[in-house]
Amino acid sequence: MRIAMVGAGYVGLVSGACLADFGHEVVCIDNDASKIEALRHGHVPIFEPGLQETVANNLRAGRLSFGVDLNAARGASVIFIAVGTPPRGEEGHADLTFVHAAAREIAAAIEGYVVVVMKSTVPVGTGDEVERIIAEAAPRARFSVVSNPEFLREGAAIDDFKQPDRVVIGVEDDEARQVMNDVYRPLDLNQGAIVFTSRRTSELIKYAANAYLAMKVAFINEISDLCEKVGGDVQDLARGIGLDNRIGQKFLNAGPGFGGSCFPKDTLALMKIAEDAKSPLRLVETLVESNESRKHAMARKIVKACGGSVKGKTIAVLGLTFKPNTDDMRSAPSLTIVPALQAAGAKVVAFDPEGAKSAKDLLPGVIFADGPYACLEGADALVIITEWDAFRALDLTRVKKALRQPIVVDLRNIYRRDEMLALGFHYESVGRGHSPKTAAARTPTAA
């Protein structure tokens, strides 16, 4: 099957490369000529494990190609729209400018029956609007508009596409349903569950899923604060509730708050959808506020660990991206925490295995080190913001020797508290408080 993917960003490139890997003939379209030229030579502009190899293999096999306009997509029976839908200003509405532009371009290029598939995350009713735009611009065209939201985790996107928990498809006619069955037939071997529903329900599923997962993150973060106050351990607590299969263990890791391209944007957009429908979602409104407050609270936690002031001190930060195995800095907790430390008078030295290039423009004044130990040299405290594997087994003796003061603030709980205290670190983690008996026996430097 010949497929066109309008948009060669994260979602479009991963989806296009994986569909080509299934055996389809795929062309990815993007109006960024320099990006397309690089992709034609196999140079992938984003970091995603396995993507570089998948693109290169399918370029060599002739199943994947790239173009700057829809002339390169002639003969496609399915055209995916995978363009960006960033928040519009502070109000949180998804900006559909690129979606509408893609719809008009598709209308001018339609030949024969075409299924137009919305892969971008869009508000409820967007499919109706795309259908109207195409019908108005090409009144004689035969087409269907389908919703097919993506559920790709950055850092595991290739596996998520090829072995998905589910594929959600919102269709309004049987012809389009059959075409989409053909697109995803290769998943039959992997027993991927395909959920067919109405187009509007499909559009809402993406937002509802992300809001629910974000609420689990915000919930465990607030519970971690309670653990610190009353002497509980949030990691044991998360395991204790997560083993209940009605709850599940995923997204119950306490930390500095969620970020990335999906949760912040989608929770805001869902709030606005509900607000416009006069059906407010109070839980979602609260979680957005809670998550933003969380990031500021982590900055205060670091200052407190440093004796109440970081003025004139050097803080070493390991990890800047919103999660490991990506170079994505969008809404990363570091974008709130680091400037707060700088505003309090600290000098910040940072290292991230993949995010430094993007972070340099977003975090002015930060000194970027070439490796974790170079980052630590002479610092007054170490702060771990992102749990990259490279930070999980640091030589702790070397870490202590490199630091001017043995202060470690571990916002991802990747180290054992007892081990850190035994080594003489002033160690702060998240949600791992002391029981009243233990607190009474503590020394001032073992907080």
Side-chain angles (χ1 to χ4, degrees), residues 136-156:
E136 187 176 273
R140 296 185 179 181
R142 237 177 41 87
F143 69 97
S144 299
V145 175
V146 169
S147 169
N148 176 215
E150 56 86 15
F151 299 99
L152 305 177
R153 295 169 299 158
E154 293 188 47

Side-chain angles (χ1 to χ4, degrees), residues 345-409:
K347 180 175 79 171
V348 176
V349 182
F351 171 72
D352 188 283
E354 295 292 339
K357 183 177 179 182
S358 300
K360 284 180 180 178
D361 292 334
L362 299 171
L363 294 171
V366 170
I367 299 169
F368 291 88
D370 294 330
Y373 297 108
C375 181
L376 301 176
E377 197 63 45
D380 294 285
L382 160 62
V383 177
I384 300 171
I385 297 182
T386 312
E387 69 277 31
W388 284 90
D389 286 346
F391 306 152
R392 292 180 178 274
L394 294 173
D395 181 336
L396 295 176
T397 301
R398 186 176 175 185
V399 168
K400 189 177 180 184
K401 185 177 180 181
L403 291 171
R404 185 178 292 127
Q405 300 182 62
I407 299 171
V408 175
V409 184

Side-chain angles (χ1 to χ4, degrees), residues 33 50 58-59 75 93 150 152 165 196 278 298 304 344 406:
N58 285 284
L59 276 171
H93 283 290
E150 56 86 15
L152 305 177
D165 294 326
F196 282 101
K278 294 181 171 56
M298 293 300 98
K304 183 179 179 181

Side-chain angles (χ1 to χ4, degrees), residues 228-251:
E228 291 185 11
K229 297 289 186 183
V230 303
D233 187 314
V234 74
Q235 290 181 299
D236 290 343
L237 182 147
R239 179 171 169 76
I241 65 174
L243 287 171
D244 184 332
N245 59 20
R246 296 169 301 174
I247 296 173
Q249 297 186 61
K250 294 182 179 179
F251 292 89

Side-chain angles (χ1 to χ4, degrees), residues 146-442:
V146 169
S147 169
N148 176 215
E150 56 86 15
F151 299 99
L152 305 177
R153 295 169 299 158
E154 293 188 47
I158 301 294
D159 286 344
D160 283 349
F161 194 97
K162 292 184 175 182
Q163 299 178 340
D165 294 326
R166 80 288 200 199
V167 176
V168 175
I169 301 173
V171 295
E172 302 296 329
D173 62 84
D174 290 339
E175 190 171 8
R177 180 182 178 124
Q178 184 54 55
V179 170
M180 294 307 292
N181 259 324
D182 293 340
V183 169
Y184 285 108
R185 180 166 287 119
L187 291 179
D188 288 348
L189 295 174
N190 296 330
Q191 299 180 332
I194 297 182
V195 178
F196 282 101
T197 184
S198 71
R199 194 164 63 203
R200 283 185 167 233
T201 302
S202 174
E203 290 169 338
L204 194 54
I205 284 172
K206 168 70 173 184
Y207 284 116
N210 277 349
Y212 184 80
L213 295 175
M215 280 194 286
K216 288 187 73 173
V217 175
F219 171 79
I220 202 64
N221 282 340
E222 292 199 347
I223 289 294
S224 76
D225 289 342
L226 179 60
C227 284
E228 291 185 11
K229 297 289 186 183
V230 303
D233 187 314
V234 74
Q235 290 181 299
D236 290 343
L237 182 147
R239 179 171 169 76
I241 65 174
L243 287 171
D244 184 332
N245 59 20
R246 296 169 301 174
I247 296 173
Q249 297 186 61
K250 294 182 179 179
F251 292 89
L252 287 179
N253 294 319
F258 60 77
S261 62
C262 291
F263 285 5
K265 174 175 70 74
D266 291 353
T267 49
L268 282 174
L270 183 60
M271 277 174 53
K272 293 304 177 184
I273 291 168
E275 184 180 294
D276 291 346
K278 294 181 171 56
S279 181
L281 298 174
R282 300 304 185 202
L283 282 175
V284 178
E285 292 172 7
T286 301
L287 98 87
V288 169
E289 180 183 345
S290 172
N291 188 61
E292 193 57 32
S293 297
R294 180 73 177 178
K295 299 172 186 178
H296 292 282
M298 293 300 98
R300 293 193 295 272
K301 185 182 188 74
I302 295 164
V303 172
K304 183 179 179 181
C306 292
S309 174
V310 292
K311 188 173 183 179
K313 295 181 180 179
T314 299
I315 307 298
V317 171
L318 294 183
L320 297 169
T321 54
F322 87 95
K323 62 181 289 189
N325 296 322
T326 180
D327 57 358
D328 197 340
M329 288 291 299
R330 285 175 287 185
S331 298
S334 64
L335 296 180
T336 299
I337 295 170
V338 169
L341 295 175
Q342 291 173 312
K347 180 175 79 171
V348 176
V349 182
F351 171 72
D352 188 283
E354 295 292 339
K357 183 177 179 182
S358 300
K360 284 180 180 178
D361 292 334
L362 299 171
L363 294 171
V366 170
I367 299 169
F368 291 88
D370 294 330
Y373 297 108
C375 181
L376 301 176
E377 197 63 45
D380 294 285
L382 160 62
V383 177
I384 300 171
I385 297 182
T386 312
E387 69 277 31
W388 284 90
D389 286 346
F391 306 152
R392 292 180 178 274
L394 294 173
D395 181 336
L396 295 176
T397 301
R398 186 176 175 185
V399 168
K400 189 177 180 184
K401 185 177 180 181
L403 291 171
R404 185 178 292 127
Q405 300 182 62
I407 299 171
V408 175
V409 184
D410 180 2
L411 300 183
R412 296 291 182 173
N413 292 345
I414 64 177
Y415 284 97
R416 295 187 182 93
R417 183 181 192 87
D418 291 346
E419 179 182 1
M420 297 298 285
L421 296 179
L423 288 170
F425 284 100
H426 177 127
Y427 179 73
E428 291 285 348
S429 54
V430 175
R432 295 191 285 186
H434 300 274
S435 69
K437 290 181 180 179
T438 305
R442 279 190 294 150

